[in-house]
Amino acid sequence: MSTTTTTNAGTPQAAPSYPSQVTGMDILVRALRMVGIDTMYGLVGIPVTELAYIAQARGIRFVGFRHEQQAGMAAATHGYLTKTPGVLLTVSSLGFLNGLTATANATVNCYPMIQISGSSVREPIDLLQGTYEGLDQLNIAKPLVKAAYRVNKPEDIPTAVVRAYRAAVSGRPGGVYLDVTTPCLGAIMNAADADKLFYEPVDLVPSMPPSSESVSRAVELLASAKKPAIIIGKGAAYARVEDKLKALVDKTGIPYLPMSMAKGVLPDNGPLSAMACRSTIMAEADVVLLVGARLNWLLSRGHGKWSADTKFIQFDIDPEEIDINRPIAAPVVGDLASSLDAFIAALPAKLSVDPTWVPSLQAQTKTKNAKFAERLQANVSVVPMDHWTALSAIKPVMAANPDVILVNEGANTLDDTRDTLDMTLPRHRIDCATWAIMGMGMGSCVGAAVATGKSVVAIEGDSAFGFSGMDFSTICRFKLPVTVVIFNNGGIYNGVGVNMAGTSDPAPTTLDVRARYDKLGDAFGAKTYYVTTPAELSQALTEAIASKAPALIDVQLAADSGKESGHIGYLNPAALEHIEV
């Protein structure tokens, strides 16, 4: 192609040259790469489709979903497992709202996550003039997330991305919303001018050591304890302080009790594990160390069965968490790694623990574990299976595959699986966490598999699976090593609910005990199994894990397997005669 033109006089003249140009979308992708983002979860549409293509072309893996909430759950799980923000991309309006559920959940559960949503032109939104998907997304997000920013100009994109990253990971991690307007995404800049916007951020995740006074106070209190205990929360799992906790337990001989997603930070079956002694610890412990655990409803907010005389040492990065339900005698505010290092270094060589305390807990643990084993054994051959029968078949398979990440949700399925399956490695259990939100399953499976490259097994109640089941197709499209096990008892809690009106409509808690969820797996090309006996379940799960391919196991339970959660008496058929209708 010629690079010259000819004037009317016949004199050759150089063709005009134009500077290379980029769009706001190019700048946004480059800014994400600048802070180390290499994966994005989402669902495309106006105005972000081209953004996803550009991200994929520039080396960011784009994992596309069927529903934004599941993409957000994947991003949140990614953040939890990697300590870097998981990124969610959504369209505007209802797509934004679908994703916001996951971002709010990430904020409550302290998972670093950034939701990026395209948004409509500002002026008609502000004047309520009825523009396309004209939702004031920023103001809706603000009260539900850790931080929220709007970007109107491409020149501000790198700064906005760095601020979002810092907000997501600093202090107590959480969800951040980044609102990028359509004009900003489509804006054009000269590439040379855009190049000047980028820089290398310094110290994105600074350490926050505690004060020496707080450490000394905590050490003094522990040194006075006769019946101390450690409660490990998922904050400790996120902070990756398992080696420091092991050093603390080895040095002091203090028993520990993990919260649900902290199972495996120290081995559930370790000699100082007090998992079976929760009530005893609440009633008798005189000093309790909360390590990355919050004294919220999951611990009866410090009330209930807790002794009024129990004193708490709380290790937390957020000073606002101190004293929220019970007075904290010795708060240690700082990042867990720095706090534990300082605390362990300051401990005396020997504590004054009651010599009968640990042996009594160990004896209680042995007795309760034996009774639990008997319960499993008594149900080992029950057909149709109940939850305990199915879990008795699953337990040895999971024990033989300790590096498999477990995703778990449901009512009875959640509770019984948590009690049955021991975890020996940290960050290998993902569940519905602080808000007990159902429907996190498929997204968390995808996020865990993509973030770690490890095999994942999800144990799902049939109701819980229904929230996110269509995104099993995402597992199949990306050929992830995920096995989904569905406990089908035909209902929420169970499948024997009673319609109090006496009509043919199913009860509010009734689903379909005859549903064949394995057929959904067939539709997307997964390995599928329909099992009705413990032996079939054991063989199917063993094969599925070994295949390292998408698999779905439909486990047929009896309709009356399971009980209502929360003791809602009016759902009991025996109590119906007391209800006026």
Side-chain angles (χ1 to χ4, degrees), residues 198-213:
F198 299 97
Y199 60 99
E200 184 174 343
V202 177
D203 203 7
L204 282 169
V205 194
S207 60
M208 297 176 63
S211 69
S212 58
E213 293 84 357

Side-chain angles (χ1 to χ4, degrees), residues 250-534:
D250 287 347
K251 183 173 183 178
T252 62
I254 298 176
Y256 58 86
L257 172 66
M259 301 301 290
S260 182
M261 279 182 58
K263 283 167 63 68
V265 170
L266 296 179
D268 288 355
N269 55 6
L272 289 170
S273 173
M275 285 181 56
C277 306
R278 179 186 175 105
S279 295
T280 302
I281 285 174
M282 294 174 80
E284 298 184 20
D286 57 352
V287 175
V288 171
L289 286 72
L290 299 167
V291 183
R294 291 179 285 191
L295 206 57
N296 58 15
W297 71 274
L298 291 165
L299 288 171
S300 302
R301 295 187 293 112
H303 304 293
K305 295 181 180 180
W306 284 101
S307 167
D309 296 326
T310 302
K311 292 183 172 60
F312 292 95
I313 298 169
Q314 185 167 7
F315 293 86
D316 203 286
I317 200 166
D318 184 1
E320 292 185 9
E321 188 63 30
I322 308 303
D323 295 334
I324 63 169
N325 279 306
R326 279 275 294 262
I328 302 300
V332 180
V333 177
D335 69 88
L336 286 184
S338 299
S339 297
L340 286 171
D341 279 342
F343 185 73
I344 293 168
L347 284 172
K350 185 174 177 60
L351 300 178
S352 57
V353 177
D354 181 339
T356 67
W357 173 235
V358 171
S360 69
L361 294 177
Q362 291 173 328
Q364 188 179 140
T365 295
K366 184 176 180 180
T367 299
K368 289 189 174 182
N369 285 349
K371 287 183 178 179
F372 191 79
E374 289 175 6
R375 182 178 189 178
L376 286 179
Q377 186 61 35
N379 287 270
V380 72
S381 58
V382 172
V383 177
M385 290 186 284
D386 62 16
H387 289 79
W388 301 112
T389 314
L391 288 167
S392 70
I394 290 172
K395 185 177 176 70
V397 179
M398 293 298 288
N401 294 275
D403 201 31
V404 170
I405 294 174
L406 173 66
V407 173
N408 185 205
E409 63 173 333
N412 293 274
T413 303
L414 173 71
D415 296 338
D416 297 345
T417 301
R418 181 184 59 237
D419 292 342
T420 303
L421 300 187
D422 287 335
M423 309 303 296
T424 57
L425 296 173
R427 295 170 297 281
H428 277 63
R429 178 182 168 84
I430 311 293
D431 63 32
C432 45
T434 300
W435 264 358
I437 186 169
M438 292 294 106
M440 43 67 67
M442 298 304 98
S444 291
C445 285
V446 173
V450 170
T452 68
K454 294 185 176 184
S455 294
V456 178
V457 168
I459 301 179
E460 301 266 315
D462 55 333
S463 172
F465 177 74
F467 285 88
S468 63
M470 197 62 184
D471 265 305
F472 181 71
S473 66
T474 302
I475 292 168
C476 296
R477 276 185 292 121
F478 285 84
K479 299 178 173 60
L480 299 175
V482 175
T483 299
V484 176
V485 181
I486 303 169
F487 282 8
N488 182 18
N489 65 352
I492 302 170
Y493 313 130
N494 56 51
V496 294
V498 176
N499 180 335
M500 293 163 54
T503 68
S504 61
D505 286 347
T509 55
T510 299
L511 299 173
D512 187 355
V513 75
R514 296 174 300 279
R516 289 291 300 270
Y517 295 103
D518 56 311
K519 301 300 183 183
L520 180 64
D522 290 339
F524 298 115
K527 292 179 176 292
T528 59
Y529 307 83
Y530 175 71
V531 301
T532 60
T533 69

Side-chain angles (χ1 to χ4, degrees), residues 12-23:
Q13 182 177 355
S17 61
Y18 299 97
S20 175
Q21 294 181 318
V22 294
T23 67

Side-chain angles (χ1 to χ4, degrees), residues 158-247:
T159 297
V161 168
V162 172
R163 289 190 70 189
Y165 191 109
R166 289 189 185 278
V169 299
S170 65
R172 172 168 285 176
V176 176
Y177 174 60
L178 199 57
D179 187 276
V180 189
T181 63
T182 298
C184 180
L185 290 169
I188 295 174
M189 285 188 68
N190 290 338
D193 293 330
D195 286 343
K196 299 173 185 177
L197 303 175
F198 299 97
Y199 60 99
E200 184 174 343
V202 177
D203 203 7
L204 282 169
V205 194
S207 60
M208 297 176 63
S211 69
S212 58
E213 293 84 357
S214 68
V215 173
S216 298
R217 186 187 305 116
V219 168
E220 183 179 352
L221 179 56
L222 182 62
S224 70
K226 301 301 181 183
K227 295 183 176 182
I230 300 171
I231 293 182
I232 305 171
K234 69 177 179 294
Y238 173 82
R240 298 174 179 259
V241 294
E242 51 269 18
D243 290 345
K244 300 178 191 302
L245 278 169
K246 182 178 184 303

Side-chain angles (χ1 to χ4, degrees), residues 116-129:
I116 301 173
S117 296
S119 65
S120 297
V121 178
R122 288 302 317 156
E123 290 82 1
I125 291 177
D126 293 340
L127 282 173
L128 301 179
Q129 292 177 316

